[in-house]
Amino acid sequence: MSTGLPQGFHIVLDSGTVVAEDGSLRGGSPARVLRLSPSGRRALDELRTGPVRSAAGAALARRLTDGGLAHPRPPLSGMGYSVTVVIPVKDRAEPLRQCLAALGAAHPVVVVDDGSDDPEVFANIALTYSATLVRRPDCGGPAAARNTGLSKVDTELVAFIDSDCIPTTGWFEELIPHFADPLVAAVAPRILTLRATTSAGRYGEVAGSLDMGAHEGRVVPGTRIAYVPSAALVVRRDALRDIGVFDEDLRYGEDVDLIWRLHEAGLRVRYEPAAQVYHREPERWTELLARRFHYGTSAAPLAQRHPTSVTPLVVHPWHAATVLAALSGRAVPTALAFGLSVLATRRTLRRIGLPVEEATRTTGVGLFQTWLGLGRFMIQFTGPVLAALLTVRDPKPARRRFRRAAAASLLLGTPVTTYLDTRPRLDPIRFTLGQFADHTAYGAGVWASCLRHRTLVPITPILTRKPRRISGATTQSTATQQNATPSTDERSTSEGLT
């Protein structure tokens, strides 16, 4: 099977990709520089003016879309796939009615009743909407219910959707063309939260755990889109036959495990936010925080299955040193650590041929991202330490004020930036308190899973000067790549700084 993007595909450069005067490209996730030979520049010209037409264009298109520098635009002719919808449900009759009504009758539907208390109700609903009903005598959880439904499917594609989801018109039409690429094994829509009336619901509208954002991309562990949920997910059935179905030993995180296994098999998973599905988030804080806690309990089992993919925080040593110096309340060491960060960035930029004048700005961006990441990490996993930094006494008032200001900004950084980015229908104080509670509940779930499974991997940050290599990120050896693609020199611009 050719690993290039198929002929007929177009690509569009990501909004963050910069094409330099020398023909090199910067961008992607993680950030990188891609230098093109003359043949590579000709292939790029081909891709910017039309569809993939040559082997060189196909290879470069794959390289760009795999790295997040560009995104594929499949031909509309890739619509002739058969699809079956699988809906797991337990004791949610009215949401199931709404889900089936929104789906319509375009594709066959299999409803899996996972041991509901009143099976007759679900039998009647399935009959009303001409869906096939499969009854499980006992509740086995989402993974078991989806596997049961999958066993009844014989179409090329299977669309998993939870019973509390409402798909919008045309969501299939946005997702299915991506399967014209034979390496694409799964495509996920954007999952938005239904408009709510309570404070917890309004918080969930902008902080829903299933919404992966407005920007499309390839799904790869350790990148901007590290996973997608299976609350709404279309999968190539043959891919599940090859790598295995949902892991029924996982009560939570079974969808993340499946996505990562697809990635490790060398297949592609795409996130397509042009397709949208609405989902019900909890309307009460107790339910919302309980859900976040349960999500956190998946961390250790996932770390045991994918030890290089579950990382709570990846930071550059000099950025970490700058933040820790600020938290110590000492201005001179803080300034010194920042200066050394700038020097390290200048050295990196000079080595890869980028203007060293960008060093201060690049360092500032990386330090800001590190500050936000450390703040979130400390709220989730080391809350008492952060609280102590705010309250501990110091004989020098100036140093005490500096340390407290640094700790307060670390504490408030994530909720404030999230609030300004999302503009929720909630006042800043309740939103900030909600985010603290959200992160703390999730962190408690992670701690609980770590203690149960005797591992600290999910709460152990990684210090790195260079980007981590993600296993399974490519399907070819370096030698094969050199023979199959236009000559390139690809290096990271971030060196793990952000």
Side-chain angles (χ1 to χ4, degrees):
M1 180 188 296
S2 172
T3 58
L5 205 64
Q7 292 200 8
F9 270 67
H10 289 73
I11 66 165
V12 294
L13 294 180
D14 183 78
S15 59
T17 298
V18 176
V19 182
E21 293 183 0
D22 64 357
S24 63
L25 296 94
R26 283 184 284 164
S29 177
R32 68 198 67 200
V33 173
L34 186 67
R35 302 188 187 283
L36 301 180
S37 67
S39 63
R41 288 194 289 272
R42 288 193 296 271
L44 181 61
D45 289 340
E46 170 191 319
L47 297 174
R48 298 185 75 177
T49 57
V52 173
R53 298 187 297 273
S54 66
L60 180 59
R62 178 70 73 188
R63 191 77 171 270
L64 295 174
T65 55
D66 276 358
L69 292 150
H71 306 294
R73 291 293 180 266
L76 293 179
S77 58
M79 295 291 290
Y81 290 94
S82 56
V83 184
T84 300
V85 182
V86 172
I87 307 176
V89 64
K90 185 181 188 302
D91 298 328
R92 291 193 291 203
E94 187 54 35
L96 176 63
R97 291 183 194 273
Q98 297 179 22
C99 179
L100 289 169
L103 282 170
H107 304 283
V109 177
V110 176
V111 174
V112 182
D113 180 1
D114 193 26
S116 296
D117 293 335
D118 190 351
E120 190 66 27
V121 171
F122 296 93
N124 292 333
I125 293 173
L127 181 63
T128 299
Y129 291 95
S130 301
T132 299
L133 178 70
V134 180
R135 165 77 177 170
R136 289 177 53 86
D138 301 306
C139 177
R146 294 189 187 106
N147 290 343
T148 297
L150 181 64
S151 68
K152 308 298 182 182
V153 172
D154 58 6
T155 52
E156 298 165 278
L157 305 179
V158 54
F160 297 103
I161 185 165
D162 284 356
S163 60
D164 58 352
C165 290
I166 300 177
T168 59
T169 302
W171 76 297
F172 271 131
E173 287 72 13
E174 295 287 351
L175 300 179
I176 292 178
H178 283 283
F179 290 97
D181 178 357
L183 288 187
V184 168
V187 188
R190 184 178 186 184
I191 301 178
L192 300 168
T193 302
L194 287 169
R195 191 174 179 86
T197 57
T198 66
S199 61
R202 288 171 180 164
Y203 172 82
E205 286 176 359
V206 298
S209 55
L210 304 183
D211 185 1
M212 308 310 293
H215 301 290
E216 65 184 305
R218 183 186 174 197
V219 182
V220 178
T223 67
R224 178 176 57 84
I225 310 173
Y227 68 94
V228 285
S230 59
L233 181 70
V234 181
V235 185
R236 198 184 298 271
R237 188 169 61 92
D238 285 350
L240 297 182
R241 182 189 59 198
D242 294 339
I243 67 136
V245 293
F246 289 96
D247 187 339
E248 297 183 18
D249 290 334
L250 290 172
R251 180 60 182 85
Y252 300 94
E254 78 288 344
D255 44 6
V256 179
D257 169 68
L258 179 75
I259 294 302
W260 288 352
R261 282 190 284 123
L262 290 171
H263 168 74
E264 290 160 4
L267 300 170
R268 305 300 190 268
V269 178
R270 297 291 310 176
Y271 173 62
E272 180 51 82
Q276 296 183 352
V277 170
Y278 283 89
H279 176 263
R280 289 175 176 81
E281 282 287 316
E283 291 274 354
R284 296 191 301 174
W285 284 108
T286 53
E287 295 175 353
L288 186 150
L289 298 179
R291 177 176 289 187
R292 298 294 197 266
F293 174 86
H294 289 311
Y295 286 163
T297 61
S298 69
L302 286 172
Q304 291 177 335
R305 291 162 171 78
H306 311 275
T308 64
S309 298
V310 180
T311 304
L313 184 67
V314 180
V315 294
H316 190 277
W318 284 119
H319 286 176
T322 304
V323 174
L324 294 176
L327 292 174
S328 73
R330 291 171 169 80
V332 173
T334 303
L336 179 61
F338 179 76
L340 292 172
S341 293
V342 174
L343 291 176
T345 304
R346 286 176 63 90
R347 185 170 62 250
T348 297
L349 295 177
R350 184 180 296 111
R351 179 173 59 81
I352 62 179
L354 293 178
V356 296
E357 292 78 11
E358 296 185 18
T360 301
R361 182 191 64 81
T362 301
T363 303
V365 171
L367 182 59
F368 178 69
Q369 295 298 330
T370 300
W371 197 272
L372 293 179
L374 277 172
R376 175 187 51 77
F377 176 85
M378 295 187 76
I379 294 170
Q380 288 179 335
F381 305 120
T382 62
V385 175
L386 195 55
L389 290 170
L390 288 168
T391 59
V392 68
R393 302 181 66 83
D394 193 296
K396 295 184 177 181
R399 190 166 66 191
R400 181 172 65 249
R401 288 193 295 270
F402 186 86
R403 185 185 64 248
R404 287 181 176 176
S409 67
L410 200 68
L411 183 70
L412 295 172
T414 298
V416 169
T417 54
T418 303
Y419 186 89
L420 294 176
D421 287 342
T422 60
R423 301 292 181 177
R425 297 189 302 123
L426 198 64
D427 62 84
I429 293 177
R430 283 190 294 175
F431 181 83
T432 299
L433 293 175
Q435 187 129 101
F436 289 162
D438 183 349
H439 288 332
T440 301
Y442 177 80
V446 176
W447 270 111
S449 73
C450 288
L451 293 173
R452 180 180 179 184
H453 295 274
R454 299 181 181 181
T455 178
L456 294 179
V457 170
I459 58 172
T460 304
I462 290 180
L463 292 176
T464 181
R465 294 179 180 274
K466 296 182 179 181
R468 290 183 300 150
R469 293 187 181 275
I470 306 297
S471 62
T474 62
T475 57
Q476 297 175 294
S477 68
T478 302
T480 305
Q481 286 182 352
Q482 290 173 347
N483 292 332
T485 65
S487 176
T488 60
D489 175 20
E490 184 175 339
R491 304 180 187 178
S492 169
T493 61
S494 65
E495 293 273 319
L497 300 182
T498 57

